[in-house]
Amino acid sequence: MRYRHGLVWGKFLPLHEGHSALIRYATTRCAGVTVVLGARHDEPIPRDVRHAWLAEAHPDVRVLSHWDDAPVDYDSPAAWDAHLAALRTVLPAGVDVVFTAEPYGAELARRLGVAEVRLTRSNVSGAAVRADPAAYWYRLPAPVRAWYCRRVVLVGAESTGTTTLAAALAAALGTAWVPEYGREWCEVRPGGLAAPWSSAEFDLIARRQAEREDAAAREVPVPWLVCDTDPLATAVWHERYVGSPSATVAAFAATRRPCRYVLTSDDVPFVQDGLRDGEHLRGWMTERFRAVLDGSGVPWVEVRGSVADRVAAALAELAALGVKPRPAG
């Protein structure tokens, strides 16, 4: 049987493959489908974030959202009355069927006076995903993976091994790493390295770096992403090349807090590659990074020695977050 207008109602906390399978099935049985997100104010993922996930993952359906702070007690007529009152603030006309995978679906359909189509309940739940996102990583849409992905950002002065460490640490974690966009910009910027730097360049570098991080976070095979620099480091480089802080880069950096910073010490030999200022600046830059990281509010660790020593130190810091390196072999 084909219906005119189907309803899928839920919290999508977070959106996962079970939800998406239900929505996709509804689209095969209806001329039109509306997905309604009912959110509480105290839930761990903002309503607008979940709404955006649904809109991106299912562009062929209408997505609506509303606040619903009623208690979750489907044996309580009063709770049901409150839930339905909230739902009806956004419920479009013409719904003639609800699609569910939950036992409450029958009561929802009865109260709305429509048919119910119930699918087998998914073997993944929002609570399970929230408890262990890594265990359900491939059951999550790309924007949800990006939400749960935690970033480890490497920063350091010139020729202190951030790029080498980024690649090695990513390999140890079995994930991807994001190269430094600023280096690419140095190779193509108008006027070359001799031209005076402008604040606008650093705004560009910070935002391009962030765009690349966000894109990579959607595709990583595990909930970890290694980044060779970030907008906070870009703010430090602005001080170096422009001579003063950048309010716009600093403000942007404040909106993007990783889970850990790793500072590469200047205890390795300096190598001139044609793009670097010189060894004489490394001490000042390293000390400036220490001060900025101290004020960032994000935990950080400084690593020294060989690449292997640095990887081991970084992994030891991440172990406190439950991170395990990829098994060797």
Side-chain angles (χ1 to χ4, degrees), residues 1 45 50 57 88 122 146 194 200 208 231 243 257 282 302 307 320:
M1 179 178 179
I45 305 174
R50 286 177 275 164
R88 286 194 172 100
S122 170
R208 288 283 173 84
R257 292 165 56 87
R282 291 203 306 170
E302 185 170 346
V307 175

Side-chain angles (χ1 to χ4, degrees), residues 39-131:
R40 295 178 58 91
H41 285 84
D42 59 356
E43 288 169 336
I45 305 174
R47 185 183 80 173
D48 290 350
V49 170
R50 286 177 275 164
H51 187 114
W53 290 344
L54 286 162
E56 178 182 337
H58 298 282
D60 54 341
V61 305
R62 184 184 187 187
V63 179
L64 303 173
S65 56
H66 65 89
W67 292 115
D68 181 359
D69 289 307
V72 180
D73 182 358
Y74 295 118
D75 293 325
S76 166
W80 266 112
D81 290 343
H83 287 307
L84 267 294
L87 174 60
R88 286 194 172 100
T89 63
V90 296
L91 186 67
V95 169
D96 58 343
V97 60
V98 295
F99 290 82
T100 74
E102 302 290 345
Y104 65 71
E107 180 64 11
L108 174 63
R110 186 187 73 79
R111 284 175 171 264
L112 292 177
V114 301
E116 178 204 10
V117 174
R118 188 185 306 182
L119 272 63
T120 302
R121 189 173 185 176
S122 170
N123 60 0
V124 57
S125 69
V129 172
R130 295 193 302 275

Side-chain angles (χ1 to χ4, degrees), residues 61-273:
V61 305
R62 184 184 187 187
V63 179
L64 303 173
S65 56
H66 65 89
W67 292 115
D68 181 359
D69 289 307
V72 180
D73 182 358
Y74 295 118
D75 293 325
S76 166
W80 266 112
D81 290 343
H83 287 307
L84 267 294
L87 174 60
R88 286 194 172 100
T89 63
V90 296
L91 186 67
V95 169
D96 58 343
V97 60
V98 295
F99 290 82
T100 74
E102 302 290 345
Y104 65 71
E107 180 64 11
L108 174 63
R110 186 187 73 79
R111 284 175 171 264
L112 292 177
V114 301
E116 178 204 10
V117 174
R118 188 185 306 182
L119 272 63
T120 302
R121 189 173 185 176
S122 170
N123 60 0
V124 57
S125 69
V129 172
R130 295 193 302 275
D132 187 5
Y136 300 94
W137 200 241
Y138 288 104
R139 307 291 298 276
L140 305 178
V144 182
R145 292 198 298 271
W147 168 265
Y148 279 108
C149 181
R150 291 181 284 183
R151 292 178 297 124
V152 182
V153 175
L154 278 58
V155 300
E158 291 180 327
S159 190
T160 57
T162 56
T163 300
T164 299
L165 180 57
L169 183 58
L173 294 172
T175 192
W177 66 283
V178 182
E180 179 186 6
Y181 175 75
R183 184 175 181 83
E184 295 181 31
W185 177 249
C186 287
E187 295 173 348
V188 301
R189 68 185 297 261
L193 294 178
W197 286 80
S198 70
S199 292
E201 291 180 88
F202 290 90
D203 287 326
L204 170 68
I205 290 169
R207 294 191 177 278
R208 288 283 173 84
Q209 187 73 34
E211 289 168 2
R212 293 188 176 192
E213 288 179 13
D214 292 345
R218 298 165 64 92
E219 304 298 333
V220 286
V222 294
W224 289 96
L225 178 66
V226 177
C227 303
D228 181 6
T229 200
D230 78 340
L232 183 67
T234 303
V236 176
W237 289 109
H238 182 280
E239 291 184 35
R240 160 68 188 92
Y241 285 106
V242 179
S244 61
S246 166
T248 54
V249 175
F252 182 57
T255 68
R256 303 182 60 83
R257 292 165 56 87
C259 68
R260 285 294 188 277
Y261 280 109
V262 177
L263 172 63
T264 51
S265 185
D266 58 348
D267 64 339
V268 294
F270 180 83
V271 177
Q272 179 55 264
D273 64 357

